[in-house]
Amino acid sequence: MSASFITQLMVASVMVGITVITHFAGLTALLSLIRKRRNASERIVTFLENGAVMVGAALGLFALHGIEIWGYALLYWSMDIIASFERALYFSTTTYATIGYGDVILPVGYRLLGAIEGVNGVILLGWSTAFFFSVVHRMTLLQPLSTMVPPPTASSKV
């Protein structure tokens, strides 16, 4: 049994909405946690704190994408599109990340749903990349001036 084109679009739209809201909430929570870090005046403390923030942000983003991937896997499994949850999770992971090995494929009547998951994954992964870059960039701007190397001047080239 396959889903109609309209049904696939409706289900995919609901999933995109859920994952975008989940992603927004997750990024907002991560940003809130990052903002709570205290300003360190000593170089080693700043280094360790910045490292902890970056690792925490990366793990948080990984968990957030995991939740979204599992959401799609649960959808495929609960709709009996893919028989086992392990297989549904594998398919969802490779589709969301646009790896798409092709060893597990959706039935003809559900392929649009998988394609939209791929587009959704690309957008959310890009959003996370921009977020992570912003966090790392912001941390370099917030470092105390004593820990930053001054830019070279014209007189230092002599």
Side-chain angles (χ1 to χ4, degrees), residues 102-120:
D103 53 343
V104 177
I105 59 172
L106 295 179
V108 173
Y110 295 98
R111 291 188 183 163
L112 182 60
L113 186 57
I116 291 174
E117 180 187 2
V119 172
N120 190 15

Side-chain angles (χ1 to χ4, degrees), residues 1-37:
M1 183 174 181
S2 65
S4 72
F5 177 76
I6 298 298
T7 302
Q8 289 183 72
L9 283 178
M10 287 174 28
V11 170
S13 296
V14 168
M15 283 303 294
V16 166
I18 289 170
T19 57
V20 167
I21 290 168
T22 300
H23 210 75
F24 174 75
L27 291 181
T28 301
L30 279 171
L31 191 57
S32 173
L33 290 171
I34 290 168
R35 284 184 175 160
K36 288 184 179 181
R37 78 179 186 94

Side-chain angles (χ1 to χ4, degrees), residues 70-90:
W70 276 61
Y72 274 101
L74 285 169
L75 174 72
Y76 299 135
W77 183 59
S78 68
M79 290 180 67
D80 207 26
I81 298 170
I82 299 176
S84 79
F85 182 73
E86 183 273 333
R87 197 169 173 95
L89 185 59
Y90 171 78

Side-chain angles (χ1 to χ4, degrees), residues 122-134:
V122 166
I123 291 169
L124 296 180
L125 287 165
W127 190 3
S128 291
T129 301
F131 174 84
F132 192 73
F133 177 81
S134 177

Side-chain angles (χ1 to χ4, degrees), residues 51-65:
V53 168
M54 285 191 288
V55 168
L59 291 174
L61 290 171
F62 193 81
L64 187 56
H65 288 289

